[in-house]
Each structure stands twice: as structure tokens, then as C-alpha cells.
Amino acid sequence: MTRTVNIGAAQLGPISADETRDQVVARLVDLLRQGAAAGCDLVVFPELALTTFFPRWFTEEVDGHDAYYETSMPGPSTQVLFDEAKRLGLGFAIGYAELTEPDDDGSVHRYNTTILVERDGSVVGRYRKSHIPGHDNDEPWRPFQHLERRYFEESDEGFNVWGAFGGVVGMATCNDRRWPETYREMGLQGVEMILIGYNTPIHYAPDPGQNALQGFHNHLCMQAGAYQNGTWVVGVAKGGIEEGVESLAQSCIIAPSGQIVALAVSTGDELISAVCDLDWCANYKDTLFNFATYRRPELYQRIGSQKGVIVPDHVSNQP
Ligand code: CDV
């Protein structure tokens, strides 16, 4: 018997700074209903799906922006999303800004977080972003700021996987998708579906030469990650022009073969979906990318790795 999961990628268009949480959640609920109508088991929302991308604005006092963060999930505004998903019988993944409870010493932490919610409304997994891009201080030379490093801490929880939706599920967030270790860490744990939300401005201030390649790089890294680890990858954007900043859309669902099987065509709110056969993963995990048989990290690291130089045996064995 094949294992299939009908996955929806719920792309969002821009969220303006004056849009209320309730207004945003109403958009998410509408996308959930579209997902249910398409027969989805799981709907994936983007990174920071409840607010505008607030790290584009500098502030001296980060805690002055705590209204952008969630202190609990579900919370007062998001309970309706959990309730509607449970009523519709589907699960979801959603990215948001997390503000933790104070530690014993009174300190709080801010993470760029994604949670996975099962069909019964229970939170089964939480991922906090590892690769935090951008900068941590005002850089007025940029046309807009990317202050994620001011607003969020790097997570030290790593990349985990969870048994859910009949398979092995992992999560990553935006910039994480550009790093091969993101996929490999989960690939080594047998991942079959990686859920990734992103906010990717088209303009990359440190090297605008990359602007025209944003769409190419987006698909390049996720397709490679899917293929090289024999896993489904779901990439979901918040796209369009938000507060004057244009972000990439092109949400997609990628098969373990690396092929895109569903692709968003707009830059606004749009639900795409695909019936994902999880058994397809084994075609790659048990053949070309059979890690146990073919992968040899102990050989790659044996010589010269401290210098960052891999010295072939025939060279290092010279007297
Ligand atoms: N939200 C992100 O992580 N954005 C980065 C941009 C800043 C490069 C990305 O990798 O898409």
C-alpha cells in the first residue's frame, strides 16, 4: 500500500504593516478552506506568516516591537486557525516570531519559529531558524534593512524530524534552504517531507548582481536538497510588494526526483497542492543516495580538514 499525503503550499501575498492579526488570520483561514476543498491533509504557510516582515525596520529597542511576536501558540488571534483546521480535519505548518517565557534569570528569547500542527490541533513539532541572515545594526546605505540578526537569536536545537502525517517530517526556514547541511541533517534522520517558508527580497543589497538570479537560486537549492536526500520539499513564499519591498513568490512542491510538481503562478495569496507519494523517497534513499552503502564522511575528513584542505592520499603519503 502506498503512503500518500496531499500537501498544500499556501503562498501569501504582502501583509501590510497596518493589517491586524485578525485580518491576516482570516486570509489564512480562507487558504485552509481552499486546502480542504483540494483534499489536502496538510497546508504549509510561509515564514513570519502572521505579520509584515518587520525586520526591515531598524529600532534601538527590540522589545519595543514585541507586538509582532507570539508568546503562545495557539494564542488569542490564532486560536481560530487551530479550530478551523481541526474542524476541516487537516494539519498545518506556520512560521511566526516567537517570544519565549522568561528564564529563571528573567531573560527572554526571540526566535524565527515554525510549528507543525496535526489534524487534531496538537502541536507535534517546533523548529527555530538556525541560519539567521542579514545584519544586526542600522545600515542606512541599504534601500531597506534586513535586521533578522537584531530581532532573532540563532537556534541551537538543530534540525529534527517528527513522525507525522504518515511519514517523517522536518522543517527549515528561508535562509536555511540555501545550506546543504539543512537537508543532509534531516536526510540522515530519514526525512520524507521538508517544509520551508520564506521571505526573499528580490534586491540583495550586498551583491545586487544576484537579484536577477533569485528565482533560479530558490529552486536550485531546494531541488538539489530534495534530490540528494530523496525527500519531498515544500517551499512556500510570502511574495509580492510589501511595504515597498518586492519579494520572490514562486512557491513550489518538489518531488524526491528533484522535479517541481506544483508551482505558484501569482505573487499573491494562492494555494497549490500535490498528492505526494512518500514511498517515492525510497527510490532514491535505497539506490543512488543509499547513505549506509555509499556515503563516506570518515574518508572526506581524514586528512587535512583542520586546514580546510583535503589532501589526497597519494600526496600526503609522500616522504
Ligand atoms: N528571510 C530570509 O531568510 N531571507 C534571506 C535573504 C535575506 C537572503 C533568504 O535567504 O532568502
Side-chain angles (χ1 to χ4, degrees), residues 47-48 53 112 129 131-134 142 146 148 173-179 197-201 203-204 210 214 218:
E47 173 190 38
L48 299 177
F53 192 81
N112 188 335
K129 188 171 181 177
H131 302 95
I132 307 289
R142 295 172 182 255
H146 196 102
E148 277 196 69
T173 306
C174 196
N175 192 261
D176 290 324
R177 77 194 189 286
R178 302 185 192 274
W179 300 85
Y198 58 91
N199 281 263
T200 297
H203 180 67
Y204 184 62
Q210 296 180 29
Q214 290 290 3
N218 179 46

Side-chain angles (χ1 to χ4, degrees), residues 59-69 99 108 110 150-151:
T59 179
E60 287 291 348
E61 304 299 336
V62 169
D63 58 9
H65 277 46
D66 280 352
Y68 285 119
Y69 294 76
L99 178 62
V108 294
R110 294 173 177 79
R150 188 169 189 86
Y151 285 100

Side-chain angles (χ1 to χ4, degrees), residues 12 25 89 100 111 133 135 160 212 216 219 243 276 286 294 313:
L12 286 173
V25 169
T100 67
Y111 296 107
H135 48 109
N160 300 305
F216 169 62
H219 289 159
E243 298 295 331
C276 303
D286 293 348
Y294 302 119
D313 271 350

Side-chain angles (χ1 to χ4, degrees), residues 111-131:
Y111 296 107
N112 188 335
T113 298
T114 299
I115 51 169
L116 179 65
V117 181
E118 257 289 8
R119 287 165 274 219
D120 63 0
S122 60
V123 176
V124 291
R126 180 195 68 204
Y127 169 71
R128 290 168 171 164
K129 188 171 181 177
S130 302
H131 302 95

